[in-house]
Amino acid sequence: MAASIPDRIAVHPTVRKVRARPRRAAGTVDADWLRRLCLEAGVDDVAFVGVDNPELVSEREHADAALPGVRSYISLVVRMNRDNVRSTARSVANQESHRSGEIMNEAAHRITRALQDAGYRAINPSMSFPMEMDRYPGRIWVIAHKPVAVAAGLGVMGIHRNVIHPKFGNFILLGTILLAAPISSYGEPLDYSPCLECKLCVAACPVGAIKKDGEFDFLACSVHNYREFMGGFTDWVQTVADSEDGADFRSRVSDSENASMWQSLSFKANYKAAYCLAVCPAGEDVIEPYLDDRKAFMDLVLRPLQDKKETLYVLPDSAAKEHAERRFPHKQVKVVGSGINGV
């Protein structure tokens, strides 16, 4: 029974109009309908998983905080164009990442709108560039897309810490919609890993963040790849503050570095490397050239990235610094700070 409301509200035209229309009860969402909705919105694959899935225990409190009453995750996949990601021109690779991210966010927005219009509560957190900066340098994202995708059956994490889709490989971006309703059927994790353990990602990483034994040096990766993101920007600002004058600053930071930082601030942040993604041959749509001729594949995809002359950003006295200087003597190695907690 509807709660009683004051007479002055009961006679309001909006209230009278709403009370006169048929009521609809939003129950379980049909999985087939939802899948069609997602694909028509522009994503390339989708799967569903319940919030009470034991593999996602760590996400539950964050999901509840973001959408009270959340019952399901909708995990979304958008493909990236492979040769763009493989390009030695960072502008080409970065533009592919940013454009694919825009497609993901736009598709998630449309799906959420359709769910809302159907009577369901749902939210679509950002695919990337999270904004919960009051938590920085802790967890600044609403939902971790990767474990949700793995639990839903959209791929398995490779040793490079990226999800590898069974068909599209790691040339994907992920998104998640939170839904305050159950879905009629949920996905299951893959019963195999698409990762070939070929170790090409190990060979490609310019700062040695990916180890042959499966270990991952997150700080080495973040200091270089995210040089123009949060921590790197903080370190750059500190360099500005510590410089005695303009000449001193320009002796510490090159014109090209300043121009690149400006571009990241005015347009979108530049990733310094996505080489682990670029060289990965896993996935049904990706693997054929690797199987046909491994040497030709490496000459075409791996070698140009290894041979590229570029600046590598590393922490002082770090394993990344030792690796970069030993493995890539033709690349400039620059010692910087992480920008995190004054380090």
Side-chain angles (χ1 to χ4, degrees), residues 12-260:
H12 190 281
T14 300
V15 176
R16 295 171 63 182
K17 187 173 183 179
V18 170
R19 285 285 176 84
R21 71 189 184 193
R23 297 293 297 273
R24 59 183 179 185
T28 299
V29 180
D30 180 73
D32 292 335
W33 171 81
L34 184 55
R35 179 172 177 80
R36 288 194 302 272
L37 170 67
C38 294
L39 295 177
E40 290 171 0
V43 301
D44 293 295
D45 202 0
V46 59
F48 318 120
V49 61
V51 296
D52 55 355
N53 186 296
E55 298 299 317
L56 299 173
V57 171
S58 63
E59 294 301 306
R60 184 60 191 265
E61 65 174 301
H62 306 290
D64 283 332
L67 181 68
V70 62
R71 299 287 299 277
S72 305
Y73 298 116
I74 303 171
S75 184
L76 308 172
V77 167
V78 164
R79 288 185 295 167
M80 292 189 286
N81 294 324
R82 294 191 294 275
D83 285 321
N84 282 348
V85 177
R86 290 168 175 165
S87 175
T88 57
R90 295 308 306 150
S91 61
V92 175
N94 280 312
Q95 174 66 8
E96 180 63 27
S97 176
H98 293 316
R99 178 67 185 119
S100 299
E102 291 167 356
I103 293 171
M104 172 64 81
N105 285 329
E106 180 61 30
H109 177 80
R110 287 198 290 267
I111 296 164
T112 301
R113 172 68 60 81
L115 286 166
Q116 172 186 274
D117 291 346
Y120 299 100
R121 294 171 49 243
I123 65 170
N124 56 299
S126 173
M127 180 285 303
S128 185
F129 297 99
M131 298 181 182
E132 313 305 309
M133 291 304 172
D134 55 312
R135 306 173 188 169
Y136 181 77
R139 178 184 171 121
I140 58 175
W141 52 91
V142 175
I143 289 296
H145 302 310
K146 292 180 183 180
V148 173
V150 171
L154 289 176
V156 173
M157 200 89 75
I159 65 171
H160 56 0
R161 301 309 190 270
N162 294 293
V163 173
I164 303 175
H165 187 276
K167 182 175 176 62
F168 309 137
N170 69 185
F171 294 91
I172 59 172
L173 293 180
L174 301 171
T176 309
I177 293 174
L178 279 61
L179 176 64
I183 300 172
S184 61
S185 65
Y186 293 119
E188 295 287 341
L190 296 181
D191 58 5
Y192 74 100
S193 173
C195 178
L196 305 173
E197 298 187 11
C198 62
K199 307 297 174 63
L200 288 184
C201 57
V202 177
C205 182
V207 292
I210 309 166
K211 313 297 183 183
K212 290 182 179 180
D213 61 2
E215 288 294 315
F216 184 74
D217 186 343
F218 171 78
L219 201 55
C221 176
S222 64
V223 166
H224 175 62
N225 194 28
Y226 300 104
R227 175 62 187 166
E228 293 169 16
F229 288 67
M230 298 152 290
F233 172 74
T234 300
D235 183 68
W236 178 81
V237 170
Q238 187 171 330
T239 301
V240 175
D242 289 345
S243 299
E244 294 180 2
D245 52 30
D248 182 34
F249 173 70
R250 292 179 75 124
S251 72
R252 302 184 189 207
V253 183
S254 70
D255 288 349
S256 65
E257 288 176 305
N258 281 321
S260 186

